[in-house]
């Protein structure tokens, strides 16, 4: 079994950095909270670089720049300037460089179970099938793929923070005429794969994010209300 050494080594190194910093062996003096936040941002930066998640990379660097503005000599750049530049950079780089996902070839047996065959790209990510009429997902710091299998899908609450996620709803049936999908995307990217028969009604709050759709839905089918917010992230709706 392949062992992932990154997180154990990173956590051990972080503990060493915390101890050494409190002993006053660093020439750069920062508060314990700034140091903890730095470690979290560095972890997010490395994870985002691994999967080419451009919003995660850009905003991790932006927040690091704000924390260390004084030693970097960029105190004249107010936070809103840095965040504004980060939004433009993340959108621009996101259009040029797409997240590094695996390709999944999906087959259905008589019980509608999913079988995934990965390509030659050795990228590890969280993949699973959800068998529930009410879906609740909280995803952060990584890449995830979820297949929703439901005979009477009713609602979904999807929270994506500093991560990349793909959610497939093509194996979900709506029998009561209407369902609700609520999203909360911040510093990450979320892709929703919806059946073409679903009639989407969008009621989204967009705060310096990017929302787009691909494909054309049919003119008849169950209604789906899409609510929530996108903050410094990306939401893509793909009809399949």
């Amino acid at each position: 079994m392949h062992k992932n050494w990154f997180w154990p080594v990173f956590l051990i190194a972080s503990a060493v950095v915390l101890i050494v910093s409190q002993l006053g062996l660093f020439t750069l003096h920062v508060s314990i909270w700034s140091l903890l936040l730095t470690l979290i941002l560095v972890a997010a930066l490395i994870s985002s670089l691994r999967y080419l998640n451009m919003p995660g990379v850009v905003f991790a660097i932006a927040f690091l720049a704000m924390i260390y503005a004084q030693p970097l000599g960029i105190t004249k750049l107010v936070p809103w300037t840095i965040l504004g530049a980060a939004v433009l950079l993340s959108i621009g780089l996101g259009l040029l460089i797409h997240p590094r996902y695996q390709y999944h070839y999906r087959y259905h047996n008589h019980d509608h179970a999913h079988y995934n065959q990965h390509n030659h790209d050795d990228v590890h990510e969280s993949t699973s099938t959800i068998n529930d009429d009410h879906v609740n997902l909280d995803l952060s710091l990584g890449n995830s793929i979820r297949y929703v299998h439901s005979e009477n899908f009713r609602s979904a609450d999807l929270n994506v923070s500093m991560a990349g996620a793909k959610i497939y709803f093509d194996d979900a049936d709506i029998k009561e005429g209407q369902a609700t999908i609520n999203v909360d995307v911040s510093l990450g990217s979320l892709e929703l794969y919806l059946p073409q028969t679903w009639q989407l009604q969008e009621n989204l709050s967009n705060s310096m994010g990017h929302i787009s759709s691909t494909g054309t839905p049919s003119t008849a089918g169950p209604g789906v209300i899409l609510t929530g917010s996108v903050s410094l992230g990306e939401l893509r709706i793909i009809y399949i």
Side-chain angles (χ1 to χ4, degrees):
M1 180 180 294
H2 176 77
K3 181 180 286 293
N4 187 351
W5 291 99
F6 170 74
W7 286 112
V9 172
F10 178 81
L11 292 173
I12 294 171
S14 299
V16 173
V17 170
L18 285 174
I19 295 172
V20 172
S21 65
Q22 294 305 298
L23 293 176
L25 300 180
F26 282 164
T27 56
L28 177 63
H29 298 285
V30 295
S31 67
I32 184 66
W33 296 111
S34 295
L35 189 57
L36 287 172
L37 184 57
T38 298
L39 295 174
I40 294 173
L41 289 171
V42 169
L45 175 61
I46 295 174
S47 178
S48 298
L49 281 173
R50 179 183 178 186
Y51 296 108
L52 298 181
N53 182 5
M54 290 299 103
V57 171
V58 171
F59 281 100
I61 294 175
F63 285 118
L64 287 171
M66 287 189 286
I67 295 173
Y68 297 99
Q70 185 171 358
L72 291 174
I74 57 174
T75 54
K76 292 183 178 180
L77 295 177
V78 297
W80 288 114
T81 302
I82 297 176
L83 289 177
V87 170
L88 297 175
L89 280 173
S90 63
I91 294 175
L93 291 174
L95 294 174
L96 293 174
I97 304 173
H98 296 287
R100 196 179 171 195
Y101 293 109
Q102 287 177 303
Y103 294 100
H104 292 259
Y105 300 95
R106 304 170 61 213
Y107 300 92
H108 301 274
N109 65 2
H110 294 293
D111 296 324
H112 301 286
H114 294 285
Y115 294 90
N116 301 324
Q117 177 183 353
H118 304 295
N119 69 347
H120 62 277
D121 189 11
D122 186 21
V123 181
H124 299 281
E125 59 196 346
S126 172
T127 305
S128 65
T129 299
I130 302 172
N131 299 284
D132 202 342
D133 297 340
H134 299 277
V135 179
N136 290 283
L137 291 177
D138 192 355
L139 307 171
S140 61
L141 296 179
N143 283 319
S144 302
I145 295 179
R146 298 290 185 269
Y147 301 106
V148 178
H149 174 78
S150 174
E151 295 181 356
N152 187 18
F153 174 68
R154 298 182 181 183
S155 67
D157 289 302
L158 312 175
N159 299 312
V160 179
S161 176
M162 301 185 73
K166 289 184 176 183
I167 314 295
Y168 288 83
F169 289 94
D170 56 312
D171 201 16
D173 294 327
I174 300 176
K175 293 184 178 179
E176 296 187 357
Q178 184 170 284
T180 302
I181 299 177
N182 182 66
V183 301
D184 185 358
V185 184
S186 59
L187 300 178
S189 62
L190 172 61
E191 296 183 7
L192 301 178
Y193 290 82
L194 308 179
Q196 289 183 325
T197 56
W198 286 11
Q199 307 302 304
L200 202 63
Q201 303 177 37
E202 295 184 24
N203 185 16
L204 296 168
S205 173
N206 186 0
S207 177
M208 294 188 291
H210 180 65
I211 301 174
S212 63
S213 62
T214 303
T216 304
S218 62
T219 57
V224 176
I225 300 176
L226 179 61
T227 64
S229 63
V230 180
S231 303
L232 303 173
E234 181 181 12
L235 171 64
R236 293 186 61 203
I237 302 166
I238 300 100
Y239 291 99
I240 55 178

